[in-house]
Amino acid sequence: MLVKSSRDGFFHPASSDITSAGVYHRRRELLRLMAGGAAGAALATWASREAHASQAPRPGKLAALPARASALPGASTVEKLTDYKDASGYNNFYEFGVDKADPARYAQALPTSPWSISVEGLVRKPGTFALEDLLKLAPMEERIYRMRCVEGWSMVIPWVGYSLSELIRKVEPLGSAKYVEFVTLADRKSMPGLSSSVLDWPYLEGLRLDEAQHPLTLLTFGMYGEVLPKQNGAPLRLVVPWKYGFKSGKSVVKIRFVEKQPATSWVVAAPQEYGFYSNVNPMVDHPRWSQAGERRIGEDGLFGKKRKTLMFNGYEAQVGQLYAGMDLRKFW
Ligand code: MTE
């Protein structure tokens, strides 16, 4: 994000406009059944299928990660899914380089097994959790979230995971824990980007405890019905849909519960440009560009009209209360 040219935020690879076939066909089927007067039966079929099956067509590249459709309010936008090719080919993962194509090219060397995360700090039950155990900790859900990058582009991605609050509950935070810090992998052997001083490594992110406990905050293991591609943060990452994408750390290795607001990587690198909260807010511009609009990768062309960015990325009904009484121009 620091390496700026006006190109950086808005250039994207020639994208296909291919509709997500699974969603399209199921919607068509529902409409057809309803037109035939079988609305009740159609809805029952729809609901039961949605409860068990992934909406996204599986790309069939990586191991399947089955999930039930999430029933959480706000967790399943019906917007058109971003094509898997774009979601896994146009990435920010600076540990592998700053070009959007670098993560897909270089992250394949990332060793993701064995993997564990350590949970430390102000909790009653600290410990190390092996990936295998984390995968079984709570039922996997598919959540279709909008993802808005601070650079001005967005995607709609069917993630697979469960609320981070499930893990937080297990480790029992102490009353003194006010923030949660996420430390991601910094492995010089597999991550060529670490030789660059664009950020202090490891990549560090953080949330207020109540933000981390919000059910929309997703501990994410997969996307499009499969385990995460390495360039998207395998084997596990965070997805916080109402905040700019950089708040969602990839390839997390440590979670620390702390009393003071953590010094997160982007705030340390450029405090005048990036705030700790970084809630998506069309009314608060980045010092060098507007945040009022965005381009949906694969849909909104480079020279076309941008779509409007929504307050809290469209999740205001779910998360607005977290910030009641706060001046969001001050706490940006
Ligand atoms: N996590 C790590 N460890 N390193 C990064 O460079 N980039 C962030 C975030 N998480 C980043 C990271 C940014 S700027 C964005 S927009 C999202 O990851 C992009 O996620 P995606 O590539 O899966 O769309």
Side-chain angles (χ1 to χ4, degrees):
M1 293 185 294
L2 275 182
V3 200
K4 270 302 158 228
S5 68
S6 55
R7 264 189 52 196
D8 196 21
F10 304 119
F11 170 79
H12 54 84
S15 44
S16 79
D17 225 2
I18 299 166
T19 308
S20 145
V23 173
Y24 176 79
H25 287 301
R26 261 176 265 152
R27 275 190 205 137
R28 296 290 304 174
E29 183 189 84
L30 181 65
L31 290 173
R32 186 180 56 77
L33 288 168
M34 289 180 91
L43 281 171
T45 310
W46 166 268
S48 79
R49 188 167 324 164
E50 292 307 290
H52 299 294
S54 164
Q55 282 204 1
R58 244 198 83 201
K61 296 185 180 170
L62 299 170
L65 189 57
R68 64 184 188 196
S70 180
L72 191 66
S76 293
T77 172
V78 292
E79 286 168 271
K80 194 177 114 184
L81 300 182
T82 297
D83 196 60
Y84 180 85
K85 179 171 65 60
D86 288 334
S88 61
Y90 186 80
N91 302 102
N92 277 336
F93 200 166
Y94 277 19
E95 288 85 333
F96 295 102
V98 298
D99 192 272
K100 295 288 182 269
D102 284 342
R105 197 178 298 142
Y106 300 118
Q108 307 320 315
L110 176 75
T112 53
S113 178
W115 194 278
S116 59
I117 59 170
S118 67
V119 181
E120 305 176 356
L122 304 172
V123 289
R124 221 159 268 126
K125 296 182 174 166
T128 300
F129 293 78
L131 178 65
E132 298 70 41
D133 297 329
L134 286 172
L135 285 165
K136 290 182 288 196
L137 191 105
M140 288 290 167
E141 291 188 4
E142 181 169 82
R143 307 256 183 104
I144 302 174
Y145 284 162
R146 283 177 291 276
M147 206 279 278
R148 168 65 157 79
C149 179
V150 74
E151 295 164 343
W153 49 268
S154 62
M155 300 194 189
V156 177
I157 299 184
W159 300 106
V160 178
Y162 50 77
S163 298
L164 176 67
S165 62
E166 301 275 3
L167 175 59
I168 296 180
R169 218 187 5 250
K170 283 257 182 304
V171 299
E172 299 180 17
L174 300 175
S176 50
K178 301 282 183 265
Y179 293 89
V180 189
E181 184 179 77
F182 303 93
V183 184
T184 75
L185 185 73
D187 174 32
R188 291 210 165 261
K189 283 206 282 298
S190 62
M191 296 173 146
L194 296 195
S195 59
S196 140
S197 56
V198 61
L199 287 175
D200 282 346
W201 312 108
Y203 189 100
L204 267 180
E205 258 312 331
L207 296 171
R208 222 168 53 189
L209 180 62
D210 59 344
E211 296 177 320
Q213 287 171 318
H214 192 282
L216 283 177
T217 300
L218 192 68
L219 190 59
T220 308
F221 302 85
M223 61 186 221
Y224 298 81
E226 300 184 346
V227 298
L228 284 173
K230 294 185 178 185
Q231 59 270 34
N232 290 85
L236 83 164
R237 67 175 294 174
L238 228 62
V239 179
V240 192
W242 70 96
K243 292 178 179 280
Y244 292 117
F246 70 86
K247 295 298 291 180
S248 298
K250 295 176 167 182
S251 306
V252 173
V253 290
K254 194 183 286 183
I255 300 180
R256 294 179 61 220
F257 290 75
V258 296
E259 196 168 350
K260 299 220 165 64
Q261 185 175 300
T264 53
S265 289
W266 283 106
V267 175
V268 168
Q272 70 289 0
E273 307 216 340
Y274 304 107
F276 175 79
Y277 282 93
S278 285
N279 293 315
V280 174
N281 187 341
M283 266 115 53
V284 176
D285 288 340
H286 184 278
R288 286 183 287 130
W289 61 87
S290 162
Q291 292 293 22
E294 67 199 54
R295 295 191 194 286
R296 183 67 48 84
I297 298 291
E299 288 182 45
D300 302 340
L302 193 52
F303 303 108
K305 211 165 160 269
K306 290 187 198 174
R307 67 180 63 212
K308 276 192 178 158
T309 286
L310 304 173
M311 187 64 201
F312 295 114
N313 203 21
Y315 300 96
E316 185 164 17
Q318 289 78 33
V319 303
Q321 261 311 107
L322 293 174
Y323 310 100
M326 280 174 71
D327 179 352
L328 297 177
R329 289 189 178 275
K330 197 164 151 216
F331 298 99
W332 48 284

